Amino acid sequence: MASSVRYRRRISTLLASALVAVGLTTLQGGPSATAAVQTVGDPTAAQALRTVAQFKGEWDSPPTVLSNGETVDAPLMGNGDVGVAVGGSIDDQTFYLGKNDFFSTATNGIEPLGRIVLAVPGLAGAGHHVVQNIARAQVEGTYTLGNQTLSSRSWVSATENLFVTTLRLSGSHAQDATVTVQDGLGKTPSTSSSKGVLDSDVQAGTTDAPGNPHARIATSVRGTTVRPAGNRISLTLEPGVTYTLAAAIQSSHDTPRYQSVAHATAAALTRTELAKLYTAHESWWRAYWSRSFVQIPDQAVEKSWYGSLYLLGSVSRAGKYAPGLWGNWTTGPMNWYGDYHANYNYEAAFYPALSTNHVAQMGNYDDPILDWMPRGKAKAAAAGYKGVLYPVGISPNGTSAADDLYNQKSDAVNFASDMVMKYEYTRSASYARKVLPYLQQVGLFWQDYLTWDAATGTYNIENDAPQEGGVYPQTNSILSLGLVHLLFQGLIDMSQDLHVNASLVPTWQHIDSHLAPLPTMTRNGQTVFRQTSEGSGWVTDGNDVAVQAVYPGLQVGLNSSADLLATARNTVEQLNNWHSDNSPATLYAAGAMVGYNPSTLMEELRSEATAYSYPNMAVHHYGGGIENLNVTTSGLDEMLLQSAQHDIKVFPNWPTDSNAKFGGLLAYGNFEVSSSIRNNAVEYARITSRSGGNLTFTNPWPGKSLEYYANGVHKGTLSGTTVKLRTSVGETIDFAPASTTEATIQHQLSQPAESATSSALTTGFETGQPQPTWTDTVDNVDTHGDGNYGITGLCCGLTGPQATLRTGEQAHTGDTSLMYSGRADGGPYDHAYMQVYGFNGAPLTVRGDTTLSYWIFPQSNATTPWVDAGSDNSTCVAVDLVFTDGSNLRDSGATDQSGNGIHAARQCGHLTPDTWNQVTVKLGTVRAGQSISKVLLGFDRSGATGGYRGYVDDLRIG
């Protein structure tokens, strides 16, 4: 069994000396020894604001996914409480209003709050162009019909519960318009009007149960005389005049005077007051964006990172109700009640706030969990245990819409994961005091629930299903093992730092050091993690439970043993659940933490950012809402920066030949970290200590010494694999390669990341040569979901086509080649395009003289029984290229040295079976000046039947 004990060294036990380095450490005069820099500039804000301004969501037609009870594809706005989704064309445009506190007491599920319908019927059929401007947190619309254009700008105030839309018409004549206010289901609410304000009163759900929240939508239009009647305001839009539609929203949870407060707010909205509110709105978002940034070559992934942060800032805010499964964008009845699901969904939505340095967005996370403690204690007592026991789904104020355990005991400890992580990131004593009572109750449950096995000297977890509904026996769930470790490690750290619970710490330490090992098994010849030691083994259902002891359990990282890391990487590889319904929110971070192939991680993140994202930048998978805010954010952050083992590592798992930069990311210990990598070398690492305390930093220049600056003053030259320092509050530490001046570091900090390209790929697939980014992976990104039609596994239980390395079978040179195989079913479009290499970090530039060449060995029945006698299917294969503009080689018209089209279907019959054929293509004649982002291997033959198999070797582009 693999050990489950991670490398851990508590900050409080680090050496208290001013500086200790592992290995030979020296302090001496350096390049800046005589020049003290008094001011250390921080360019994070400027870099962040410049970078985020590049990214927008765009629509040229109205959204279509609006009422399926899940993530919508509409333009989105929000202030952490009120959320607005925009649907429809300008002749019938609906603003769907949601609010995080609008949980019905009848169902304990989230309910839509209301709708505002803006209709300009004279512009029916107008051109539609809408932009979601995430830098300014607003949605901008342009609607053109003939010589008339209506422009709009919509925003939800960052500081008030106020939705605003300004309208301005250009052209030759006026247009009649109406503004209709509806309840959350599109029905007419109770209304009244006074002083130009239309007041509409709504409630959560259809049943007025005790305590059911009510709300008022107070709507006004400035810039003209309005004509309210019923639930509608009629007005006339004159060309050249600016009109402002504003809706103040207050619920009975906000204030018992919600009706009068909403009305007064809408009535007092003068032009001056609106300008002040907009200035405050912009200021809030500028401060939000200024906290951190990333700059990487893959613009799709970078955009997804910023888009996820925009949605996080829109959906959650301290002092407000926490967002449920779908956030505050509720357009109708929402699936799973839109509640707080404990078995990863609720937790995952908040993880990205930590590493991205937006911890304030977690300010409401704990509230519903702590409110549930009385029921949690009662539930544990009813089951015969101490402490607290939580169900799979809870709702606000100690309620629940899904009060069932599903035989999982891990829900309460799953909730605890964010709390422990937040403390480890921030080292906030006040936060520790807030959550310790809950964490102690969770710990008390596990102290009571665990069973001691004297024969093995381990604590075991009995009858605890890793997935919903697993039946007895379910022993030592790997999910619970990881989370229970994390819980007790957090309890120990918090208690020792606060100097409390001295009598309890030894018990917690004993449990942490004696929990049963993470269960393992053999699968496909590899050691992988098993879901339980007895019960669920390897389950292929789209979950990544088998690796969740890595993340969010944080029990395996780059400082762990080689065997444990290999098991974790094998598990990630064999899960292959990059785009399943339930894995992406945690699998990418887990893969990065254990050093899984970074090129593969980046390519799969690109798929998430393109094929699995809406124009509003929401990553979407069935059953997963705002949990997917953690896909790109933590996935990318763990590639750029790791610290969970209390050891800061910059670019710990980054693709080669990929320049990148980040600033202001948060590390364990409340350290803000900035760094840059160029030409495969880290340029610097800046670490600002926000809480003081001890810093452990892995030298990113192995075998080399580094310069050490504190607050701009040179402190000496260090050497060793790990540096340990005691820091003071607010101190800024700069590390850089030996002989680097502070002035150079400041200059590098202020520059954007430099783009990187390469011009050649040469590989025979041998050890030490460039290895494929993927194994047996169909390309459904650049083929737009059409990477495989009619192709199944060749034989032997294979589930699909193959493109994988084989050693000792057939090779043109060396011992290794790329084997391909599949079986066609006679369909009209039989084909399979397999991903081989990805270059999103540094695309290959095509020059005028660039050539593609490779050797291919297509097999017939003479050399493999899996190809039918007389079949030449194996010759219908070709290396294909995808370019950064989305085009491909196969459809470019390019030909090989014999004049045959390089499309796989055009190679049929032109290759000689059972021997090595060389294929060359002059790329420069068809694609000079473009860049290659991906290498594919394609089989393509309409109507083909039977198997195909062969080998490719000695691939060269250059």
Side-chain angles (χ1 to χ4, degrees), residues 767-786:
T767 301
Q769 297 177 346
Q771 298 294 292
T773 309
W774 296 277
T775 297
D776 298 342
T777 304
V778 172
D779 177 36
N780 280 320
V781 178
D782 296 291
T783 58
H784 306 290
D786 188 34

PDB file of all heavy atoms in Angstrom, residues 767-786:
ATOM      1  N   THR A 767      13.276   7.631 -25.831  1.00  0.00           N
ATOM      2  CA  THR A 767      13.495   8.280 -24.547  1.00  0.00           C
ATOM      3  C   THR A 767      14.460   9.453 -24.706  1.00  0.00           C
ATOM      4  O   THR A 767      15.502   9.318 -25.355  1.00  0.00           O
ATOM      5  CB  THR A 767      14.070   7.276 -23.529  1.00  0.00           C
ATOM      6  OG1 THR A 767      13.145   6.194 -23.382  1.00  0.00           O
ATOM      7  CG2 THR A 767      14.300   7.938 -22.182  1.00  0.00           C
ATOM      8  N   GLY A 768      14.108  10.576 -24.129  1.00  0.00           N
ATOM      9  CA  GLY A 768      14.933  11.775 -24.249  1.00  0.00           C
ATOM     10  C   GLY A 768      14.548  12.656 -25.424  1.00  0.00           C
ATOM     11  O   GLY A 768      15.025  13.789 -25.524  1.00  0.00           O
ATOM     12  N   GLN A 769      13.702  12.151 -26.329  1.00  0.00           N
ATOM     13  CA  GLN A 769      13.204  12.949 -27.445  1.00  0.00           C
ATOM     14  C   GLN A 769      11.792  13.434 -27.123  1.00  0.00           C
ATOM     15  O   GLN A 769      11.139  12.905 -26.221  1.00  0.00           O
ATOM     16  CB  GLN A 769      13.219  12.116 -28.735  1.00  0.00           C
ATOM     17  CG  GLN A 769      14.601  11.694 -29.162  1.00  0.00           C
ATOM     18  CD  GLN A 769      14.592  10.817 -30.400  1.00  0.00           C
ATOM     19  OE1 GLN A 769      13.560  10.303 -30.820  1.00  0.00           O
ATOM     20  NE2 GLN A 769      15.772  10.621 -30.987  1.00  0.00           N
ATOM     21  N   PRO A 770      11.296  14.455 -27.826  1.00  0.00           N
ATOM     22  CA  PRO A 770       9.948  14.958 -27.538  1.00  0.00           C
ATOM     23  C   PRO A 770       8.909  13.839 -27.551  1.00  0.00           C
ATOM     24  O   PRO A 770       8.820  13.074 -28.520  1.00  0.00           O
ATOM     25  CB  PRO A 770       9.713  15.968 -28.658  1.00  0.00           C
ATOM     26  CG  PRO A 770      11.085  16.453 -29.022  1.00  0.00           C
ATOM     27  CD  PRO A 770      11.972  15.248 -28.880  1.00  0.00           C
ATOM     28  N   GLN A 771       8.168  13.734 -26.462  1.00  0.00           N
ATOM     29  CA  GLN A 771       7.162  12.685 -26.309  1.00  0.00           C
ATOM     30  C   GLN A 771       5.775  13.239 -26.626  1.00  0.00           C
ATOM     31  O   GLN A 771       5.497  14.427 -26.443  1.00  0.00           O
ATOM     32  CB  GLN A 771       7.188  12.139 -24.882  1.00  0.00           C
ATOM     33  CG  GLN A 771       8.515  11.492 -24.502  1.00  0.00           C
ATOM     34  CD  GLN A 771       8.795  10.232 -25.294  1.00  0.00           C
ATOM     35  OE1 GLN A 771       8.121   9.218 -25.136  1.00  0.00           O
ATOM     36  NE2 GLN A 771       9.813  10.291 -26.171  1.00  0.00           N
ATOM     37  N   PRO A 772       4.888  12.396 -27.111  1.00  0.00           N
ATOM     38  CA  PRO A 772       3.524  12.867 -27.413  1.00  0.00           C
ATOM     39  C   PRO A 772       2.846  13.503 -26.219  1.00  0.00           C
ATOM     40  O   PRO A 772       3.055  13.087 -25.071  1.00  0.00           O
ATOM     41  CB  PRO A 772       2.804  11.588 -27.857  1.00  0.00           C
ATOM     42  CG  PRO A 772       3.887  10.706 -28.375  1.00  0.00           C
ATOM     43  CD  PRO A 772       5.078  10.982 -27.489  1.00  0.00           C
ATOM     44  N   THR A 773       2.018  14.491 -26.499  1.00  0.00           N
ATOM     45  CA  THR A 773       1.241  15.143 -25.452  1.00  0.00           C
ATOM     46  C   THR A 773       0.086  14.255 -25.003  1.00  0.00           C
ATOM     47  O   THR A 773      -0.323  14.309 -23.851  1.00  0.00           O
ATOM     48  CB  THR A 773       0.695  16.486 -25.973  1.00  0.00           C
ATOM     49  OG1 THR A 773       1.764  17.241 -26.548  1.00  0.00           O
ATOM     50  CG2 THR A 773       0.035  17.290 -24.864  1.00  0.00           C
ATOM     51  N   TRP A 774      -0.439  13.442 -25.922  1.00  0.00           N
ATOM     52  CA  TRP A 774      -1.605  12.604 -25.617  1.00  0.00           C
ATOM     53  C   TRP A 774      -1.342  11.148 -25.971  1.00  0.00           C
ATOM     54  O   TRP A 774      -0.486  10.830 -26.814  1.00  0.00           O
ATOM     55  CB  TRP A 774      -2.831  13.052 -26.412  1.00  0.00           C
ATOM     56  CG  TRP A 774      -3.327  14.412 -26.113  1.00  0.00           C
ATOM     57  CD1 TRP A 774      -4.148  14.793 -25.099  1.00  0.00           C
ATOM     58  CD2 TRP A 774      -3.040  15.603 -26.859  1.00  0.00           C
ATOM     59  NE1 TRP A 774      -4.398  16.139 -25.167  1.00  0.00           N
ATOM     60  CE2 TRP A 774      -3.735  16.668 -26.219  1.00  0.00           C
ATOM     61  CE3 TRP A 774      -2.283  15.878 -27.988  1.00  0.00           C
ATOM     62  CZ2 TRP A 774      -3.683  17.967 -26.695  1.00  0.00           C
ATOM     63  CZ3 TRP A 774      -2.217  17.180 -28.463  1.00  0.00           C
ATOM     64  CH2 TRP A 774      -2.906  18.210 -27.810  1.00  0.00           C
ATOM     65  N   THR A 775      -2.120  10.286 -25.377  1.00  0.00           N
ATOM     66  CA  THR A 775      -2.155   8.871 -25.715  1.00  0.00           C
ATOM     67  C   THR A 775      -3.601   8.478 -25.983  1.00  0.00           C
ATOM     68  O   THR A 775      -4.483   8.743 -25.150  1.00  0.00           O
ATOM     69  CB  THR A 775      -1.590   8.020 -24.561  1.00  0.00           C
ATOM     70  OG1 THR A 775      -0.221   8.354 -24.351  1.00  0.00           O
ATOM     71  CG2 THR A 775      -1.710   6.537 -24.875  1.00  0.00           C
ATOM     72  N   ASP A 776      -3.858   7.889 -27.131  1.00  0.00           N
ATOM     73  CA  ASP A 776      -5.191   7.352 -27.467  1.00  0.00           C
ATOM     74  C   ASP A 776      -6.295   8.378 -27.228  1.00  0.00           C
ATOM     75  O   ASP A 776      -7.341   8.067 -26.643  1.00  0.00           O
ATOM     76  CB  ASP A 776      -5.485   6.099 -26.641  1.00  0.00           C
ATOM     77  CG  ASP A 776      -4.506   4.966 -26.917  1.00  0.00           C
ATOM     78  OD1 ASP A 776      -3.833   5.012 -27.962  1.00  0.00           O
ATOM     79  OD2 ASP A 776      -4.410   4.047 -26.082  1.00  0.00           O
ATOM     80  N   THR A 777      -6.092   9.600 -27.696  1.00  0.00           N
ATOM     81  CA  THR A 777      -7.049  10.676 -27.421  1.00  0.00           C
ATOM     82  C   THR A 777      -7.587  11.251 -28.732  1.00  0.00           C
ATOM     83  O   THR A 777      -6.838  11.818 -29.538  1.00  0.00           O
ATOM     84  CB  THR A 777      -6.391  11.800 -26.611  1.00  0.00           C
ATOM     85  OG1 THR A 777      -5.846  11.241 -25.407  1.00  0.00           O
ATOM     86  CG2 THR A 777      -7.406  12.865 -26.257  1.00  0.00           C
ATOM     87  N   VAL A 778      -8.891  11.104 -28.928  1.00  0.00           N
ATOM     88  CA  VAL A 778      -9.548  11.665 -30.107  1.00  0.00           C
ATOM     89  C   VAL A 778      -9.581  13.184 -30.006  1.00  0.00           C
ATOM     90  O   VAL A 778      -9.785  13.738 -28.920  1.00  0.00           O
ATOM     91  CB  VAL A 778     -10.985  11.108 -30.229  1.00  0.00           C
ATOM     92  CG1 VAL A 778     -11.751  11.819 -31.345  1.00  0.00           C
ATOM     93  CG2 VAL A 778     -10.951   9.610 -30.489  1.00  0.00           C
ATOM     94  N   ASP A 779      -9.345  13.863 -31.106  1.00  0.00           N
ATOM     95  CA  ASP A 779      -9.411  15.330 -31.125  1.00  0.00           C
ATOM     96  C   ASP A 779     -10.850  15.766 -31.362  1.00  0.00           C
ATOM     97  O   ASP A 779     -11.367  15.648 -32.473  1.00  0.00           O
ATOM     98  CB  ASP A 779      -8.526  15.902 -32.223  1.00  0.00           C
ATOM     99  CG  ASP A 779      -8.645  17.409 -32.311  1.00  0.00           C
ATOM    100  OD1 ASP A 779      -8.800  18.042 -31.247  1.00  0.00           O
ATOM    101  OD2 ASP A 779      -8.606  17.962 -33.421  1.00  0.00           O
ATOM    102  N   ASN A 780     -11.484  16.278 -30.310  1.00  0.00           N
ATOM    103  CA  ASN A 780     -12.842  16.804 -30.447  1.00  0.00           C
ATOM    104  C   ASN A 780     -12.880  18.307 -30.273  1.00  0.00           C
ATOM    105  O   ASN A 780     -13.962  18.895 -30.203  1.00  0.00           O
ATOM    106  CB  ASN A 780     -13.780  16.142 -29.437  1.00  0.00           C
ATOM    107  CG  ASN A 780     -14.227  14.776 -29.900  1.00  0.00           C
ATOM    108  OD1 ASN A 780     -14.514  14.580 -31.081  1.00  0.00           O
ATOM    109  ND2 ASN A 780     -14.242  13.811 -28.987  1.00  0.00           N
ATOM    110  N   VAL A 781     -11.717  18.935 -30.197  1.00  0.00           N
ATOM    111  CA  VAL A 781     -11.669  20.387 -30.054  1.00  0.00           C
ATOM    112  C   VAL A 781     -11.587  21.034 -31.424  1.00  0.00           C
ATOM    113  O   VAL A 781     -12.495  21.738 -31.872  1.00  0.00           O
ATOM    114  CB  VAL A 781     -10.482  20.815 -29.178  1.00  0.00           C
ATOM    115  CG1 VAL A 781     -10.412  22.329 -29.079  1.00  0.00           C
ATOM    116  CG2 VAL A 781     -10.610  20.201 -27.795  1.00  0.00           C
ATOM    117  N   ASP A 782     -10.499  20.771 -32.133  1.00  0.00           N
ATOM    118  CA  ASP A 782     -10.315  21.403 -33.440  1.00  0.00           C
ATOM    119  C   ASP A 782     -11.170  20.766 -34.522  1.00  0.00           C
ATOM    120  O   ASP A 782     -11.320  21.327 -35.610  1.00  0.00           O
ATOM    121  CB  ASP A 782      -8.832  21.366 -33.822  1.00  0.00           C
ATOM    122  CG  ASP A 782      -7.999  22.181 -32.852  1.00  0.00           C
ATOM    123  OD1 ASP A 782      -8.127  23.407 -32.847  1.00  0.00           O
ATOM    124  OD2 ASP A 782      -7.252  21.579 -32.066  1.00  0.00           O
ATOM    125  N   THR A 783     -11.726  19.588 -34.246  1.00  0.00           N
ATOM    126  CA  THR A 783     -12.689  18.992 -35.172  1.00  0.00           C
ATOM    127  C   THR A 783     -14.118  19.332 -34.781  1.00  0.00           C
ATOM    128  O   THR A 783     -15.059  18.803 -35.357  1.00  0.00           O
ATOM    129  CB  THR A 783     -12.524  17.465 -35.196  1.00  0.00           C
ATOM    130  OG1 THR A 783     -12.703  16.964 -33.874  1.00  0.00           O
ATOM    131  CG2 THR A 783     -11.155  17.065 -35.717  1.00  0.00           C
ATOM    132  N   HIS A 784     -14.257  20.187 -33.758  1.00  0.00           N
ATOM    133  CA  HIS A 784     -15.578  20.638 -33.295  1.00  0.00           C
ATOM    134  C   HIS A 784     -16.496  19.473 -32.961  1.00  0.00           C
ATOM    135  O   HIS A 784     -17.655  19.418 -33.366  1.00  0.00           O
ATOM    136  CB  HIS A 784     -16.220  21.545 -34.352  1.00  0.00           C
ATOM    137  CG  HIS A 784     -15.355  22.690 -34.765  1.00  0.00           C
ATOM    138  ND1 HIS A 784     -15.075  23.750 -33.926  1.00  0.00           N
ATOM    139  CD2 HIS A 784     -14.656  22.920 -35.912  1.00  0.00           C
ATOM    140  CE1 HIS A 784     -14.266  24.597 -34.547  1.00  0.00           C
ATOM    141  NE2 HIS A 784     -13.990  24.113 -35.737  1.00  0.00           N
ATOM    142  N   GLY A 785     -15.935  18.522 -32.219  1.00  0.00           N
ATOM    143  CA  GLY A 785     -16.724  17.388 -31.762  1.00  0.00           C
ATOM    144  C   GLY A 785     -16.860  16.269 -32.768  1.00  0.00           C
ATOM    145  O   GLY A 785     -17.570  15.293 -32.520  1.00  0.00           O
ATOM    146  N   ASP A 786     -16.180  16.392 -33.925  1.00  0.00           N
ATOM    147  CA  ASP A 786     -16.325  15.394 -34.987  1.00  0.00           C
ATOM    148  C   ASP A 786     -15.031  14.625 -35.199  1.00  0.00           C
ATOM    149  O   ASP A 786     -14.682  14.275 -36.304  1.00  0.00           O
ATOM    150  CB  ASP A 786     -16.743  16.091 -36.288  1.00  0.00           C
ATOM    151  CG  ASP A 786     -17.114  15.107 -37.389  1.00  0.00           C
ATOM    152  OD1 ASP A 786     -17.661  14.034 -37.065  1.00  0.00           O
ATOM    153  OD2 ASP A 786     -16.844  15.400 -38.571  1.00  0.00           O
TER     154      ASP A 786
END
